[in-house]
Amino acid sequence: MKILIIEDETKLGKYLQLGLNESSFTTDWVNNGLDGLHQAMSPEYDLILLDVMLPDLDGWEILTKIKTYYPTRPIIMLTARDSVEDRVKGLQLGADDYLVKPFAFIELIARIQNQVRKNENVAIETTLTIADLHIDLIRRRVTRNDQHIDLTAKEFLLLELLVSREKEVLSKAFIASKVWDMNFDSDTNVIEVAIRRLRKKVDDPFEFKLIHTLRGMGYVMESRE
């Protein structure tokens, strides 16, 4: 699912993009109204998060124009203005939902899920499972054999990538690009170190191992009970 974020606050825009990417969405972020409208005209987006107060062109104008061309595309308005008049205006112009800043990220995910169910009848995956390992993508919790596993943010991303591509062999270069957003440097051992630390938490305490190394090729997440 691809989401367009139109938000001029840099800190919030980066936070939303990072959080949604980590929650298995694909995102683009634009920080002004004119570029936001231009980007929103692309048919590739499934949902739009739209700030009301934007430079160049405000959210109300963008909302109206998007709905003219894509009347069924879900749009969630984001704003610090919480008056009843503003909420009513947004809904009257075609907004599908209205979220007042500051908001809890888990609430945003729930509202996105609701829009997808309502508009496209598509279920969003919120959990990943392999053998007795379970990942809650919303609460960012990992358990194995009903035991909680405490992971760092990067370890969680790495595990999520491996499990979401179960039985696929992932190269070090691919892992580096997806988890660290960098080109793989053969002189660094960051991937090996990260895999070793993840194994220590996810595999070592348990009888059956899930993370496997294919020498010269990469790593694969697979249950081999």
Side-chain angles (χ1 to χ4, degrees), residues 128-168:
L128 294 173
T129 301
I130 176 173
D132 56 352
L133 176 70
H134 302 281
I135 304 175
D136 185 328
L137 298 174
I138 302 297
R139 295 177 176 81
R140 322 300 286 169
R141 286 177 53 85
V142 176
T143 60
R144 184 165 184 192
N145 194 26
D146 295 327
Q147 299 178 37
H148 174 69
I149 299 174
D150 188 24
L151 300 179
T152 66
K154 287 299 183 185
E155 288 168 347
F156 186 93
L157 280 177
L158 176 57
L159 180 63
E160 180 184 349
L161 177 64
L162 291 167
V163 176
S164 66
R165 293 176 175 267
E166 180 183 354
K167 297 184 179 179
E168 290 184 38

Side-chain angles (χ1 to χ4, degrees), residues 19-174:
L20 290 170
N21 288 345
E22 290 180 350
S23 299
S24 301
F25 297 102
T26 302
T27 63
D28 286 324
W29 168 41
V30 180
N31 63 3
N32 67 81
L34 287 177
D35 290 339
L37 177 60
H38 176 75
Q39 195 114 337
M41 287 298 103
S42 169
E44 64 181 308
Y45 296 106
D46 301 295
L47 183 143
I48 296 177
L49 300 179
L50 176 60
D51 186 24
V52 172
M53 302 301 293
L54 292 165
D56 303 327
L57 197 65
D58 69 35
W60 303 130
E61 294 178 82
I62 297 172
L63 169 64
T64 302
K65 292 181 179 180
I66 294 173
K67 285 296 185 177
T68 299
Y69 293 94
Y70 300 102
T72 62
R73 177 180 291 173
I75 298 178
I76 300 177
M77 305 299 292
L78 307 177
T79 180
R81 300 163 61 171
D82 62 351
S83 70
V84 173
E85 291 78 9
D86 282 332
R87 293 199 298 273
V88 169
K89 180 178 180 179
L91 295 173
Q92 287 178 335
L93 290 175
D96 297 273
D97 206 344
Y98 197 102
L99 201 53
V100 177
K101 305 173 186 176
F103 51 82
F105 186 75
I106 191 171
E107 181 182 4
L108 173 62
I109 294 295
R111 289 174 183 259
I112 291 173
Q113 291 175 329
N114 183 57
Q115 290 304 317
V116 172
R117 284 193 297 268
K118 184 168 65 175
N119 290 278
E120 300 179 11
N121 294 317
V122 175
I124 297 177
E125 194 168 36
T126 59
T127 61
L128 294 173
T129 301
I130 176 173
D132 56 352
L133 176 70
H134 302 281
I135 304 175
D136 185 328
L137 298 174
I138 302 297
R139 295 177 176 81
R140 322 300 286 169
R141 286 177 53 85
V142 176
T143 60
R144 184 165 184 192
N145 194 26
D146 295 327
Q147 299 178 37
H148 174 69
I149 299 174
D150 188 24
L151 300 179
T152 66
K154 287 299 183 185
E155 288 168 347
F156 186 93
L157 280 177
L158 176 57
L159 180 63
E160 180 184 349
L161 177 64
L162 291 167
V163 176
S164 66
R165 293 176 175 267
E166 180 183 354
K167 297 184 179 179
E168 290 184 38
V169 180
L170 306 184
S171 68
K172 293 178 182 178
F174 180 81

